Amino acid sequence: MQTIKSESLYNRSCALMPGGVNSPVRACMSVGVTPKFIEKGSGSHIYDADGNEYIDYVCSWGPNILGHAHPQVIEAVSNAIGYGLTFGAPSEKELTIAELINKCVPAMEMVRLVSSGTEAVMSAIRLARGFTGRDKIIKFQGCYHGHSDCLLYKSGSGTLTTGCPSSAGVTMGQIQDTLIAEYNDPQSVEDLFIKNKDQIAAVIVEPVAANMGLVLPQNNFLHFLREITENNGSLLIFDEVITGFRIALGGACEYYGIRPDLVTLGKIVGGGMPVGAYGGRNEIMQKVSPSGNVYQAGTLSGNPVSTAAGIATIKYLIDNETDVYAELDRKGDFLEKSLLEIFGSAVSVNRIGSLLCVFFKQGGVSGFSDVEKSDLDLFAVYYRFMLEHGIYLAPSQYETMFISLAHTDEDLEYTRGVMKKFAQQYLKK
Ligand code: HOZ
């Protein structure tokens, strides 16, 4: 595989950008390669600066549920661009996307648009504190909610990959009110509620944990969270930046039949452009400035070009809802079965719809302590093998695989074939 151009771009980037990238996991450090510089994407494939073609299972870490450069999204963006890029004033598209969000996620009775998932979550936490008048929040070890200070504590995603789950530069003061529980472990949550009676503003959770690899909620864990927060006057926040519009049109709220107090969105809601959103019960959202006194603002919030991409994507999902989610599930199922059949008990596979993760660990993965036991060296070998054979995966065991509508049966069969070759070479049965 020719990599001269990517390597040269990377070397130049390293002189100007920390690690040569603008987001840490992209540097591919934990899997022992240098990043491929991507030039273009079309459908399920991406192409790097050296002209190598890959089947893309990163999908920009989630937004590209329709595939790259989907004609309807590109058309919507192209049209919007012609009218001007930003006004810093309300425009009708903001209302349209808020209506679509509310239609898909009824728990989001009122919506505030922002520009990223990080911003959405950071704002939701501030709102939860402002609304309840309490300071403490509970988050789960290995769950990642973006990079705002109070949430960069025992976090997931790139923080795990780079070995700094609790980031330097975050002060004790900033995390003194962040309490850590274990995902899928009700007792750990109960203990914190007992020790911090009437002090917990909110529990924030990725309903399906997708930033420590992929870990599904078990034994009605989410229902338990709904109940314990309700019983204690605390808010339940679903961080649906990854699961929103992904596991169902209405995300995890719909999939698991739960109505949280606040929901945060990112990724798919922007259809490939920078959009985030938070929303929830009227009574709570009315606390947001200017109706209330919880301040939050943004020059590019509700940007007309970004919202155009989001609207086109969500409309496509609404118009084709039944087919979309059945099709994504069929594709996910094919890859899951392939992994289990080919890799056997050497691995654990978790999947929900089009989110999929293989852990190089036997015996299943249901919480952070299992994730930690995965063989990272073997994952790195797997990653490099797949890449060499034209399959682009997230370069970390602590991420998940995204399948899009654009992936073809041919892509899936090819992927299965490469998995087989890997197993023959590296997994002695
Ligand atoms: N937070 C993303 C992974 N869960 C990484 C985003 C990126 O590097 O683009």
Side-chain angles (χ1 to χ4, degrees), residues 114-193:
V114 291
S115 298
S116 70
T118 289
E119 220 188 314
V121 176
M122 177 184 79
S123 312
I125 294 287
R126 184 183 305 139
L127 175 57
R129 287 172 164 157
F131 178 78
T132 58
R134 299 174 177 183
D135 291 346
K136 298 190 181 183
I137 54 162
I138 295 179
K139 81 172 277 292
F140 296 92
Q141 177 161 26
C143 279
Y144 178 72
H145 303 286
H147 60 88
S148 63
D149 289 320
C150 75
L151 294 164
L152 271 186
Y153 184 36
K154 300 203 176 177
S155 180
S157 185
T159 72
L160 278 177
T161 306
T162 57
C164 55
S166 304
S167 172
V170 173
T171 66
M172 282 313 290
Q174 282 159 330
I175 52 169
Q176 71 185 3
D177 292 319
T178 305
L179 311 174
I180 304 294
E182 295 302 320
Y183 187 79
N184 272 336
D185 178 358
Q187 192 61 53
S188 69
V189 182
E190 266 171 32
D191 290 348
L192 289 174
F193 269 100

Side-chain angles (χ1 to χ4, degrees), residues 91-101 113 307 311:
S91 68
E92 193 176 343
K93 288 200 192 73
E94 296 167 59
L95 173 61
T96 306
I97 198 167
E99 284 170 346
L100 291 172
I101 290 171
L113 297 175
T307 46
I311 291 167

Side-chain angles (χ1 to χ4, degrees), residues 22-26 60-61 144 157-158 210-211 242 267 398-399:
N22 284 309
S23 191
V25 197
R26 298 178 195 179
S60 190
W61 308 88
Y144 178 72
S157 185
N211 284 290
I242 287 183
K267 301 195 190 278
Y398 304 119
E399 303 289 344

Side-chain angles (χ1 to χ4, degrees), residues 5 7 17 28 32 48 60 69 85 93 107 139 152 173 206 262 274 278 285 294-295 323 339 347 360 372 398:
K5 281 195 183 160
E7 270 164 33
M17 301 175 214
C28 299
D48 72 15
S60 190
L85 300 184
K93 288 200 192 73
K139 81 172 277 292
L152 271 186
E206 288 181 81
L262 290 172
Y278 66 101
M285 290 302 290
V294 174
Y295 198 75
D323 294 348
L339 282 164
V347 300
F360 289 90
E372 281 185 305
Y398 304 119

